[in-house]
Amino acid sequence: VIVATAVSLADSEGLEAVSIRRVAAALDARPMSIYSFAAIDRKEELMDLMVDDVCAELLLPEGLPQHWRDALHAVAVRTRAVLVRHPWWIELIGRHTLVGPNGMRYREQTLAAVADLEIDVSLKMALVTAVETYTVGQAALAVDTTGPVARQSRSCQDQRQADRSYQQTLISTGEFPHLARIGSAWPEAPADRERFFLLGLDWLLSGAKAALADSGRRPSTR
Amino acid sequence: VIVATAVSLADSEGLEAVSIRRVAAALDARPMSIYSFAAIDRKEELMDLMVDDVCAELLLPEGLPQHWRDALHAVAVRTRAVLVRHPWWIELIGRHTLVGPNGMRYREQTLAAVADLEIDVSLKMALVTAVETYTVGQAALAVDTTGPVARQSRSCQDQRQADRSYQQTLISTGEFPHLARIGSAWPEAPADRERFFLLGLDWLLSGAKAALADSGRRPSTR
DNA sequence: ACCTGAACACCGTTCAAGT
DNA sequence: ACCTGAACACCGTTCAAGT
């Protein structure tokens, strides 16, 4: 209950708005009652619980496709969707390693996706890690500046304008020929970013499939 | 000068130790002199400068290999090495988009890596983005708990022990058959993580190469 | 014994008082 | 005019004073 309000506070106002005092206030509780309650001795522990809480959303209730490639694809797409909803998650994941029960269920789900693959267990881990890595990276870089949070839409908009014109100034020095040529291909719209994400995910999965087929004891192209 | 001390403070004591007051103290300056100086009106602007400062380290001074695949590989390996040195960077990159001059030089370098590829400019962006995404993701997930920072080596060690035994308890419930079977293949040592990183990077690059060769106007396998 | 509010040591930022 | 220290509104955490 308490971590749910912390999560929704982080969603709507950003991670820096999540303070022990504000969470307590949102619950109409006295500021310090959080410490007495629920095994939270430090703020970090609340963060741990928040991380694990969104891990529950990463689980695919309807189960996984049978082919490992489709399964990993589904997991990655789902994970990306969830992390877009909770942009603060990736700020936390560096320090707070996935350790709670929901995090472990997520790991279990991802491993189940490659369970049928007949390759070395270490290679399985590498494959799962690669996909997870790519997905988390996408979430880290794709923080949506057009999203609902967009702190103070007015000043944020101004900031983007200023950044843009500053970049134009730098480009006009001629130091960045390739950047200048890119121009409009820069991915800004969320739809573009999703297209890029899916493209790279396909490359990664295809490359892994080819490499595993080459080196596998049995080709296991299914 | 001022951002350099902020960077080294973040490296040695973590990002949360970087406060306007502490940076000023480290410089033997009065706490508020930072605001008067160097176009810093808010702490966020200091963070912007810190992000751009490490971007300078991302540049490969010796130039890039000619083949796009080797070039992207070199950029990714370099980027990973730098981000391992500055773990706090990825916490910042979500909010502070790459906008400074060094950040743009980095982008320019990455685009130069694929300049010879004769494919659509949008595909070039997708390729560059995919590699960058994967690399940043690795940095986000691979925060080194054995590293020199490892806040309060004593309590951190204890924490890891507690986490470990908690996981064992959960595994012993039998809810996680695949996780149980992984066991020792879990990547903990930095060397393991680097091996995994290189494996996934090869998959990604191979997959991209194959896909681009298929769909390119000219195959351009070079 | 347990909860809880005042208190402590910080933080980012402002702003008026000095030079 | 410009720098700067006190002041303000916060924060996480502690701890003694209440029930």
Side-chain angles (χ1 to χ4, degrees), chain B residues 66-124:
Chain B
Q66 266 138 12
H67 195 314
W68 67 266
R69 190 183 157 147
D70 300 331
L72 280 183
H73 192 277
V75 168
V77 168
R78 164 67 156 234
T79 301
R80 177 177 183 274
V82 170
L83 296 193
V84 164
R85 263 203 310 270
H86 306 294
W88 47 268
W89 192 86
I90 70 111
E91 283 184 54
L92 254 36
I93 196 55
R95 283 194 231 288
H96 306 74
T97 53
L98 239 47
V99 88
N102 289 325
M104 289 189 66
R105 285 189 195 103
Y106 174 63
R107 291 246 130 96
E108 178 72 14
Q109 170 181 267
T110 323
L111 286 173
V114 297
D116 288 346
L117 254 176
E118 291 175 348
I119 56 173
D120 188 68
V121 76
S122 163
L123 264 183
K124 269 188 200 179

Side-chain angles (χ1 to χ4, degrees), chain A residues 21 30-33 35-36:
Chain A
R21 289 164 135 101
R30 255 57 84 238
M32 295 302 98
S33 52
Y35 284 114
S36 314

Side-chain angles (χ1 to χ4, degrees), chain A residues 19-79:
Chain A
S19 67
I20 299 280
R21 289 164 135 101
R22 289 204 53 180
V23 171
L27 287 164
D28 279 327
R30 255 57 84 238
M32 295 302 98
S33 52
I34 273 84
Y35 284 114
S36 314
F37 189 70
I40 294 175
D41 283 351
R42 354 179 79 264
K43 194 190 181 188
E44 299 268 309
E45 294 178 24
L46 174 60
M47 300 294 191
D48 279 337
L49 295 175
M50 288 170 69
V51 167
D52 202 61
D53 198 60
V54 328
C55 281
E57 296 181 46
L58 299 177
L59 300 174
L60 291 160
E62 68 271 21
L64 295 170
Q66 267 137 11
H67 196 312
W68 67 268
R69 190 185 158 145
D70 301 331
L72 280 183
H73 192 277
V75 168
V77 168
R78 165 65 157 236
T79 301

Side-chain angles (χ1 to χ4, degrees), chain B residues 123-136:
Chain B
L123 264 183
K124 269 188 200 179
M125 271 307 294
L127 177 54
V128 162
T129 302
V131 174
E132 187 178 312
T133 290
Y134 176 74
T135 309
V136 169

